[in-house]
Amino acid sequence: MTQAEKEQDNGKEKEKERDKEKEKEQQRGVKRPIAPPAIPDPLQEQIQSNFIIVIHPGSRTLRIGRATDTLPIILPHVIARRHKQTGQPKYEDAWLLRDGLNKSESNEQRQNGLKMVEQAIWSKKMSNGVRRTPVSAEQARSYNCQIRPAVLDSSSRVKWTNTAHQPPHLVGEEAVYVNPSDCYNIHWPIVRGQLNVHAGPGGSLTAVLADLETIWSHVIQKQLEIPLKDLKYYRCILLVPDIYNRPHIKEVVNMLLLNMGFSAIIVHQESVSATFGSGCSSACVVDVGDQKTSLCCVEDGVSHRNSRLCLAYGGSDVTRTFFWLLQRAGFPYRDCQLSSRLDCQLLQHLKDTFCHLNQDISGLKDHEFQTRFPEAPALLYQVRLGDEKLQASMGLFYPTTFGIVGQKMTSLQYRSQGDSEDPHDEHYLLATQSKQDQSSKSAADRKGISRPGGGLDGEMSAQGGIGEPSDLGRGCGSGGSGAGGMKGETEFGTAQGECLMGAGELEEPPSAHLSRKTAIMSQFESKALGLDKAILHSIDCCASDETKRKMYSSILVVGGGLMFPGAQEFLLHRIINKMPPSFRRLVDNVEVITRPKDMDPRLISWKGGAVLACLDTTQEMWIHQREWQRFGVRMLRERAAFVW
């Protein structure tokens, strides 16, 4: 008998034995566990990077392109939709204006913030050891009030978007240059990093998703030159904020896979992508965008859940503050309005051109700028400015200067509210875990009662079953993975409450602890932390001193909101001055990275998404269209590289 025949006979004998065991179990009435349906493994195929599209949607700008492209397509993330009925009232989402600016306390808060900024400017010496001489706005005002513009050209050569053929929608630059008299509504589908859902026209979740689908489809078809019917051959990498809205992400993934027809998708966080794009293995990622600033500590490709912070201010708030300071200094372009799209675009350009964080630049300086608007001559203005250029930029470190009152200024990662499509989520795990704790407690009680003199042991076991203070406080830097991380996040999905309260204060009844934690968290979220304080807070929420040391030695600044001359040295000086004294001895070198590899910081997260597409380790993270159709949002919990 050959070896193959022997093996075949052995296999048949084993099968017979298994069948006999099943028959015996059925006779005894033993119930076998029902195996859950296994998710079929997709066939491992060679993925070509030129068939992967990386999408990084921002509040003001969309970055989209193939993973093999050197640079993405960059355009304003805006859409203009034509009115369906004549006489319909026009609606336009605000650009620089926002809620909380017109309160009675706004101006007083703005003035108080400006005083703090002026004090900070005066207290820091210049590099030559001399203190700056403050320049009052009145000195510039007397000159600027006399300025009249010079006509450069009778025609600005800038035109409104041609809408004679009545297109149903316009996207990007074309939407920005729609004539206000035309019958179009203007929508920015993302605001402060989240979907722009509101009570006004076009503010429903369905309408916002339709806007995103239209904008992205337009760019893919017209600029990437990919027919929409061919998207079934393409995959997509979607970059989402570190603090994300789960139902919204679910709907966007649904739209990309089922409506647009991508064959597969990876959802990843902006901060982790930024570390891939910059080549840093670990970093405290500070993403200063147009409308929000997010912070997160990333270690070896994992975002520490407890270190995540989102501040509700960004570059557009600096622009608006700069306009207020320009008005105080007698801004010669007197028709400038924050409600005008083109004026907002001009102010953004002036901020990018004039503002800085270099304290060695002092005194009054004369500048020039041009205005080129449709149906108007091109004009040249002269303007004299002093400290306004520095004061506006420092608003990021003294957010009271923005004058925002009664708004939630700081967001943390909250626990999932649950989803009917995903019954075995973290709520289920917590519930089953608590049942196990209760059963082990009752078993320990019975053991203590049955054993003579064992009452003390039983009592100690019962106390241990409730959860020790060390377990409650353990989540302060757990990184959000594993059961230990969940224990520390029973209510908020983040244990930052423990970081704010101090571990020594946790030995109190759970109900009192929870109510006090809620009060402290709400108070914390109503405050606008300055950028330097937010960085220190984020790093302080890391688990170990070793991790904190890593983060101090690699503070990575991305996004377009802090691209001011002198920003790197300014931020480094403030971090070193404010970091805890114990860490000054431990950290060899505090480093702030603003332009890794001399790349544009606005493109680093997108570039990281393109790098992610090429890694072998990402093969297990793809969610395929048929899997999404069958299992829905459960696939995000199974495949996402972060704790869903």
Side-chain angles (χ1 to χ4, degrees):
M1 186 180 285
T2 63
Q3 184 66 28
E5 288 173 343
K6 285 180 182 178
E7 288 178 359
Q8 193 173 357
D9 288 346
N10 288 338
K12 288 178 181 177
E13 286 174 8
K14 286 179 182 177
E15 280 182 17
K16 287 178 182 177
E17 287 175 7
R18 279 198 293 268
D19 291 340
K20 286 178 182 177
E21 285 176 7
K22 283 181 185 177
E23 286 176 10
K24 287 178 182 177
E25 285 174 356
Q26 285 174 358
Q27 289 169 4
R28 291 199 303 265
V30 176
K31 292 182 180 177
R32 298 178 64 82
I34 299 169
I39 297 170
D41 291 331
L43 294 172
Q44 289 295 323
E45 57 194 57
Q46 189 63 35
I47 299 168
Q48 296 178 327
S49 297
N50 60 326
F51 281 87
I52 297 175
I53 295 174
V54 182
I55 303 176
H56 184 198
S59 306
R60 194 60 53 202
T61 309
L62 171 66
R63 297 171 187 89
I64 182 171
R66 292 179 176 87
T68 50
D69 293 344
T70 309
L71 296 172
I73 304 291
I74 304 169
L75 72 159
H77 205 183
V78 62
I79 185 170
R81 287 198 179 275
R82 187 167 182 81
H83 291 173
K84 293 184 177 178
Q85 299 170 354
T86 54
Q88 191 176 327
K90 292 187 179 68
Y91 176 84
E92 185 169 334
D93 285 335
W95 186 325
L96 292 179
L97 292 171
R98 59 180 291 174
D99 293 335
L101 294 175
N102 298 322
K103 307 279 184 179
S104 55
E105 309 96 324
S106 291
N107 197 48
E108 182 186 349
Q109 186 167 304
R110 211 179 279 125
Q111 297 288 353
N112 290 339
L114 186 57
K115 284 177 186 173
M116 288 192 284
V117 167
E118 288 171 344
Q119 177 63 29
I121 291 172
W122 180 84
S123 64
K124 185 176 182 292
K125 293 180 181 178
M126 295 189 288
S127 57
N128 60 5
V130 179
R131 292 194 189 278
R132 285 172 60 98
T133 306
V135 180
S136 70
E138 288 302 320
Q139 291 174 267
R141 187 179 182 84
S142 57
Y143 173 83
N144 290 332
C145 287
Q146 300 169 15
I147 295 296
R148 296 292 177 269
V151 178
L152 289 175
D153 196 336
S154 58
S155 170
S156 65
R157 297 176 188 171
V158 177
K159 295 181 179 178
W160 296 115
T161 301
N162 182 10
T163 57
H165 56 299
Q166 298 185 352
H169 59 260
L170 296 159
V171 166
E173 289 287 346
E174 289 184 336
V176 171
Y177 281 93
V178 165
N179 193 324
S181 62
D182 284 348
C183 300
Y184 283 85
N185 287 348
I186 310 294
H187 301 292
W188 299 87
I190 295 182
V191 63
R192 275 177 276 291
Q194 306 294 335
L195 296 189
N196 188 13
V197 178
H198 56 85
S204 68
L205 180 59
T206 306
V208 173
L209 289 167
D211 288 343
L212 287 176
E213 184 179 348
T214 305
I215 295 170
W216 299 355
S217 299
H218 175 90
V219 178
I220 289 169
Q221 201 168 10
K222 301 293 182 186
Q223 300 197 40
L224 294 179
E225 297 178 348
I226 300 170
L228 295 181
K229 62 183 176 59
D230 289 348
L231 286 183
K232 60 188 174 186
Y233 305 117
Y234 284 80
R235 299 174 179 228
C236 168
I237 292 181
L238 175 67
L239 303 184
V240 300
D242 303 317
I243 295 180
Y244 47 87
N245 184 312
R246 290 175 180 84
H248 288 181
I249 299 297
K250 169 189 163 185
E251 293 299 336
V252 173
V253 171
N254 203 57
M255 178 261 287
L256 285 165
L257 287 176
L258 303 186
N259 295 10
M260 292 180 69
F262 281 100
S263 64
I265 190 171
I266 286 177
V267 179
H268 218 323
Q269 292 168 302
E270 293 171 335
S271 62
V272 179
S273 295
T275 59
F276 288 140
S278 63
C280 300
S281 60
S282 300
C284 175
V285 181
V286 184
D287 185 352
V288 187
D290 184 75
Q291 297 181 6
K292 65 144 177 81
T293 299
S294 59
L295 301 97
C296 180
C297 293
V298 178
E299 190 175 16
D300 298 326
V302 177
S303 158
H304 284 278
R305 188 171 181 170
N306 299 326
S307 67
R308 294 177 203 163
L309 272 180
C310 183
L311 309 171
Y313 61 76
S316 61
D317 297 284
V318 175
T319 305
R320 192 180 56 254
T321 303
F322 187 46
F323 177 54
W324 171 62
L325 294 168
L326 287 174
Q327 287 180 310
R328 288 173 77 243
F331 189 43
Y333 172 37
R334 292 174 186 88
D335 295 332
C336 189
Q337 299 289 332
L338 289 176
S339 55
S340 163
R341 256 175 285 131
L342 301 189
D343 284 348
C344 288
Q345 201 171 34
L346 171 69
L347 289 170
Q348 204 100 326
H349 170 70
L350 294 181
K351 177 204 71 175
D352 294 340
T353 308
F354 297 150
C355 287
H356 63 85
L357 281 167
N358 187 346
Q359 294 210 237
D360 286 349
I361 301 173
S362 62
L364 291 168
K365 295 259 188 324
D366 290 347
H367 302 275
E368 290 182 346
F369 67 93
Q370 298 178 15
T371 60
R372 292 181 178 272
F373 299 131
E375 300 171 359
L379 302 175
L380 177 69
Y381 286 89
Q382 300 239 336
V383 61
R384 181 171 290 177
L385 296 173
D387 289 343
E388 292 82 8
K389 300 170 289 184
L390 176 58
Q391 289 166 345
S393 312
M394 285 184 68
L396 291 169
F397 300 89
Y398 297 92
T400 47
T401 317
F402 299 144
I404 304 163
V405 176
Q407 299 294 304
K408 182 178 175 182
M409 295 302 291
T410 305
S411 299
L412 306 170
Q413 183 71 63
Y414 278 82
R415 176 169 295 290
S416 166
Q417 295 302 306
D419 192 304
S420 57
E421 288 183 20
D422 186 16
H424 299 105
D425 59 5
E426 52 189 342
H427 292 280
Y428 169 82
L429 295 175
L430 282 168
T432 52
Q433 183 184 6
S434 64
K435 284 179 182 176
Q436 287 173 356
D437 290 344
Q438 287 171 8
S439 62
S440 62
K441 173 188 166 184
S442 58
D445 284 342
R446 285 196 300 274
K447 197 179 288 183
I449 292 165
S450 62
R451 194 169 54 221
L456 183 63
D457 291 336
E459 190 180 339
M460 292 296 284
S461 301
Q463 286 175 356
I466 294 168
E468 298 171 348
S470 60
D471 284 340
L472 288 169
R474 193 180 299 157
C476 191
S478 63
S481 60
M486 287 188 178
K487 282 185 184 177
E489 297 167 4
T490 310
E491 183 64 23
F492 289 100
T494 173
Q496 297 209 22
E498 278 86 342
C499 294
L500 297 171
M501 293 165 67
E505 300 176 9
L506 297 177
E507 296 180 11
E508 58 180 299
S511 57
H513 168 63
L514 187 60
S515 60
R516 197 155 66 86
K517 180 177 173 179
T518 308
I520 288 175
M521 295 291 276
S522 60
Q523 184 183 5
F524 175 71
E525 292 190 337
S526 64
K527 287 183 179 178
L529 287 177
L531 189 58
D532 49 349
K533 291 180 181 175
I535 292 170
L536 293 170
H537 177 85
S538 179
I539 294 175
D540 192 48
C541 284
C542 291
S544 65
D545 287 352
E546 177 59 27
T547 305
K548 292 175 188 178
R549 190 183 62 75
K550 278 187 194 175
M551 298 305 146
Y552 276 119
S553 60
S554 181
I555 298 170
L556 175 65
V557 181
V558 298
L562 199 67
M563 291 177 63
F564 303 118
Q568 182 178 10
E569 297 80 5
F570 188 90
L571 181 56
L572 179 62
H573 177 266
R574 291 187 72 93
I575 293 293
I576 291 173
N577 279 357
K578 293 194 174 184
M579 67 189 288
S582 57
F583 274 99
R584 286 183 202 165
R585 294 190 297 272
L586 289 173
V587 180
D588 302 326
N589 181 34
V590 178
E591 188 175 1
V592 174
I593 306 162
T594 52
R595 294 188 75 90
K597 302 177 183 175
D598 286 331
M599 287 171 58
D600 185 338
R602 294 170 292 191
L603 304 181
I604 289 171
S605 291
W606 182 89
K607 201 71 181 170
V611 170
L612 188 71
C614 307
L615 297 177
D616 292 336
T617 51
T618 59
Q619 300 313 306
E620 298 172 359
M621 293 160 57
W622 288 107
I623 299 171
H624 293 259
Q625 190 186 86
R626 57 193 173 84
E627 293 174 330
W628 182 263
Q629 286 173 325
R630 183 176 175 187
F631 299 105
V633 75
R634 279 180 285 173
M635 293 308 301
L636 278 170
R637 185 163 50 80
E638 294 289 338
R639 298 275 171 85
F642 50 93
V643 178
W644 178 257

